[in-house]
Amino acid sequence: MPHGTVAVLATDSTLDHGAILTGLAMSDTEDTHLDIHCIGFESPAPDAFAMGSVVPISWPDDGAALARAEALEAELRPIVPKHRCNVAFCRQTLREGSVGSELPPVIRFADWIVAAAPHDTQDRSSQVAVLEAALFVGGLPVIVVPKEGVEIARAPTRIAVAWDGSREALAAVRSTLPMLRRAQLVDVVVVDPDIRHGDRSDPGGDLALFLARNGVHVEINVLSRSRPRISDILSRHGFETGAEAMVMGAFGHSRLREALFGGTTRDMLRVPQIPLILAR
């Protein structure tokens, strides 16, 4: 009998193909149920305007949004083997601009979210809105995978943790403790530690002690800032050391600041080489 629920928030059959493959693999290795939410978006009314004291409004066409969700389900069903009884498809309609308030009830009973990386050369505004809503208001760890999907072993050989001492990074560590305990090695990665916060002579030491007391096999790697972007340093280290995933806090700055100036989270999401396990 499955224990727990993994959810995939699907918005595009091509983009989310890899996320579904990863979700299917997790539902095997983690012995969980998989919910695939096929989302159709209701576009805002184009001709809502004020005229004196009367406001003519054309309401969004929820029938069209449901039709889009149904079409998406039809495109995704062939990916799932027919014998898989622990997989369910769910049709959802969300209003553009209201994803942050409408998504939480959809995912509130899930344990994990699996999503495709939405930041590439194409316009992925809908996918970005869903991913950020899952992180900011869902309160769940989100596994962001490369477009081809991956299989994360139940007992990974090596998991990296990007550590900057922030509340978001600690939340990500706490939410993934069961997986970290099963890993053969957890690599705490600290990039150019700030002397103003904590003891620079022992960066990551407190986290290593916390993890060790929780049964995690841990080591610390302190890296210099050899490149302008921290995301490049983390990505290269994870790839070169053979990490199977990287745990990190998501959007340590405000969402507005990240949108205007970018940030490590947004840079890591552009073309992830390994799965990113995000939480905040």
PDB file of all heavy atoms in Angstrom, residues 63 70 76 124 137 149 164 182 200 239 242 247 271:
ATOM      1  N   GLY A  63     -15.117  26.883 -19.038  1.00  0.00           N
ATOM      2  CA  GLY A  63     -15.296  25.712 -19.885  1.00  0.00           C
ATOM      3  C   GLY A  63     -14.093  25.490 -20.784  1.00  0.00           C
ATOM      4  O   GLY A  63     -13.657  24.349 -20.992  1.00  0.00           O
ATOM      5  N   GLU A  70      -8.477  18.812 -19.873  1.00  0.00           N
ATOM      6  CA  GLU A  70      -8.826  17.494 -20.403  1.00  0.00           C
ATOM      7  C   GLU A  70      -7.892  17.099 -21.549  1.00  0.00           C
ATOM      8  O   GLU A  70      -7.464  15.941 -21.655  1.00  0.00           O
ATOM      9  CB  GLU A  70     -10.280  17.497 -20.878  1.00  0.00           C
ATOM     10  CG  GLU A  70     -11.293  17.605 -19.740  1.00  0.00           C
ATOM     11  CD  GLU A  70     -12.708  17.793 -20.256  1.00  0.00           C
ATOM     12  OE1 GLU A  70     -12.868  18.094 -21.460  1.00  0.00           O
ATOM     13  OE2 GLU A  70     -13.655  17.631 -19.452  1.00  0.00           O
ATOM     14  N   LEU A  76      -1.008  13.232 -21.699  1.00  0.00           N
ATOM     15  CA  LEU A  76      -0.092  12.685 -20.704  1.00  0.00           C
ATOM     16  C   LEU A  76      -0.388  11.244 -20.320  1.00  0.00           C
ATOM     17  O   LEU A  76       0.514  10.529 -19.853  1.00  0.00           O
ATOM     18  CB  LEU A  76      -0.113  13.561 -19.439  1.00  0.00           C
ATOM     19  CG  LEU A  76       0.405  14.995 -19.604  1.00  0.00           C
ATOM     20  CD1 LEU A  76       0.242  15.766 -18.293  1.00  0.00           C
ATOM     21  CD2 LEU A  76       1.869  14.997 -20.034  1.00  0.00           C
ATOM     22  N   ARG A 124       7.751  30.982 -20.235  1.00  0.00           N
ATOM     23  CA  ARG A 124       7.151  29.972 -19.365  1.00  0.00           C
ATOM     24  C   ARG A 124       6.452  30.644 -18.190  1.00  0.00           C
ATOM     25  O   ARG A 124       6.553  30.194 -17.059  1.00  0.00           O
ATOM     26  CB  ARG A 124       8.225  29.016 -18.847  1.00  0.00           C
ATOM     27  CG  ARG A 124       9.024  28.286 -19.927  1.00  0.00           C
ATOM     28  CD  ARG A 124       8.187  27.291 -20.697  1.00  0.00           C
ATOM     29  NE  ARG A 124       9.013  26.449 -21.554  1.00  0.00           N
ATOM     30  CZ  ARG A 124       8.528  25.600 -22.440  1.00  0.00           C
ATOM     31  NH1 ARG A 124       7.210  25.506 -22.596  1.00  0.00           N
ATOM     32  NH2 ARG A 124       9.326  24.865 -23.172  1.00  0.00           N
ATOM     33  N   VAL A 137       3.678  29.469  -1.081  1.00  0.00           N
ATOM     34  CA  VAL A 137       2.471  29.278  -0.267  1.00  0.00           C
ATOM     35  C   VAL A 137       2.113  27.825  -0.068  1.00  0.00           C
ATOM     36  O   VAL A 137       1.244  27.506   0.736  1.00  0.00           O
ATOM     37  CB  VAL A 137       1.257  30.017  -0.895  1.00  0.00           C
ATOM     38  CG1 VAL A 137       1.509  31.498  -0.941  1.00  0.00           C
ATOM     39  CG2 VAL A 137       0.947  29.487  -2.287  1.00  0.00           C
ATOM     40  N   GLY A 149      13.996  14.361 -17.232  1.00  0.00           N
ATOM     41  CA  GLY A 149      13.624  13.607 -16.041  1.00  0.00           C
ATOM     42  C   GLY A 149      14.801  12.823 -15.493  1.00  0.00           C
ATOM     43  O   GLY A 149      15.800  12.594 -16.173  1.00  0.00           O
ATOM     44  N   ASP A 164      23.928  28.415   3.177  1.00  0.00           N
ATOM     45  CA  ASP A 164      24.315  29.813   3.392  1.00  0.00           C
ATOM     46  C   ASP A 164      23.854  30.327   4.751  1.00  0.00           C
ATOM     47  O   ASP A 164      23.919  31.523   5.023  1.00  0.00           O
ATOM     48  CB  ASP A 164      23.752  30.701   2.283  1.00  0.00           C
ATOM     49  CG  ASP A 164      22.227  30.681   2.225  1.00  0.00           C
ATOM     50  OD1 ASP A 164      21.599  29.989   3.049  1.00  0.00           O
ATOM     51  OD2 ASP A 164      21.658  31.355   1.341  1.00  0.00           O
ATOM     52  N   ARG A 182      19.154   8.542   4.479  1.00  0.00           N
ATOM     53  CA  ARG A 182      19.368   7.336   3.675  1.00  0.00           C
ATOM     54  C   ARG A 182      20.563   7.471   2.736  1.00  0.00           C
ATOM     55  O   ARG A 182      21.036   6.475   2.193  1.00  0.00           O
ATOM     56  CB  ARG A 182      18.114   7.025   2.849  1.00  0.00           C
ATOM     57  CG  ARG A 182      16.895   6.669   3.673  1.00  0.00           C
ATOM     58  CD  ARG A 182      15.819   6.042   2.811  1.00  0.00           C
ATOM     59  NE  ARG A 182      15.367   6.924   1.748  1.00  0.00           N
ATOM     60  CZ  ARG A 182      14.318   7.736   1.841  1.00  0.00           C
ATOM     61  NH1 ARG A 182      13.621   7.775   2.965  1.00  0.00           N
ATOM     62  NH2 ARG A 182      13.962   8.504   0.831  1.00  0.00           N
ATOM     63  N   ARG A 200      33.819  32.151  10.823  1.00  0.00           N
ATOM     64  CA  ARG A 200      34.371  31.842   9.498  1.00  0.00           C
ATOM     65  C   ARG A 200      35.341  30.669   9.557  1.00  0.00           C
ATOM     66  O   ARG A 200      35.569  29.977   8.561  1.00  0.00           O
ATOM     67  CB  ARG A 200      35.058  33.086   8.925  1.00  0.00           C
ATOM     68  CG  ARG A 200      35.415  32.965   7.443  1.00  0.00           C
ATOM     69  CD  ARG A 200      36.161  34.200   6.976  1.00  0.00           C
ATOM     70  NE  ARG A 200      36.545  34.102   5.567  1.00  0.00           N
ATOM     71  CZ  ARG A 200      35.843  34.606   4.561  1.00  0.00           C
ATOM     72  NH1 ARG A 200      34.710  35.220   4.815  1.00  0.00           N
ATOM     73  NH2 ARG A 200      36.266  34.490   3.317  1.00  0.00           N
ATOM     74  N   PHE A 239      28.092  18.717 -10.240  1.00  0.00           N
ATOM     75  CA  PHE A 239      28.349  17.858 -11.403  1.00  0.00           C
ATOM     76  C   PHE A 239      29.660  17.102 -11.246  1.00  0.00           C
ATOM     77  O   PHE A 239      29.730  15.893 -11.501  1.00  0.00           O
ATOM     78  CB  PHE A 239      28.365  18.714 -12.670  1.00  0.00           C
ATOM     79  CG  PHE A 239      28.622  17.933 -13.925  1.00  0.00           C
ATOM     80  CD1 PHE A 239      27.625  17.159 -14.498  1.00  0.00           C
ATOM     81  CD2 PHE A 239      29.873  17.975 -14.539  1.00  0.00           C
ATOM     82  CE1 PHE A 239      27.869  16.427 -15.653  1.00  0.00           C
ATOM     83  CE2 PHE A 239      30.124  17.255 -15.695  1.00  0.00           C
ATOM     84  CZ  PHE A 239      29.118  16.477 -16.247  1.00  0.00           C
ATOM     85  N   GLY A 242      29.570  14.255  -8.642  1.00  0.00           N
ATOM     86  CA  GLY A 242      28.610  13.192  -8.874  1.00  0.00           C
ATOM     87  C   GLY A 242      27.403  13.229  -7.958  1.00  0.00           C
ATOM     88  O   GLY A 242      26.792  12.183  -7.695  1.00  0.00           O
ATOM     89  N   VAL A 247      20.139  20.023  -2.487  1.00  0.00           N
ATOM     90  CA  VAL A 247      19.139  20.612  -1.601  1.00  0.00           C
ATOM     91  C   VAL A 247      19.512  22.062  -1.361  1.00  0.00           C
ATOM     92  O   VAL A 247      20.656  22.371  -1.018  1.00  0.00           O
ATOM     93  CB  VAL A 247      19.073  19.846  -0.263  1.00  0.00           C
ATOM     94  CG1 VAL A 247      18.075  20.501   0.685  1.00  0.00           C
ATOM     95  CG2 VAL A 247      18.703  18.377  -0.498  1.00  0.00           C
ATOM     96  N   VAL A 271      18.947  26.075 -16.304  1.00  0.00           N
ATOM     97  CA  VAL A 271      19.292  24.809 -16.954  1.00  0.00           C
ATOM     98  C   VAL A 271      19.915  23.890 -15.891  1.00  0.00           C
ATOM     99  O   VAL A 271      21.130  23.720 -15.847  1.00  0.00           O
ATOM    100  CB  VAL A 271      20.274  25.010 -18.126  1.00  0.00           C
ATOM    101  CG1 VAL A 271      20.454  23.696 -18.882  1.00  0.00           C
ATOM    102  CG2 VAL A 271      19.785  26.089 -19.076  1.00  0.00           C
TER     103      VAL A 271
END
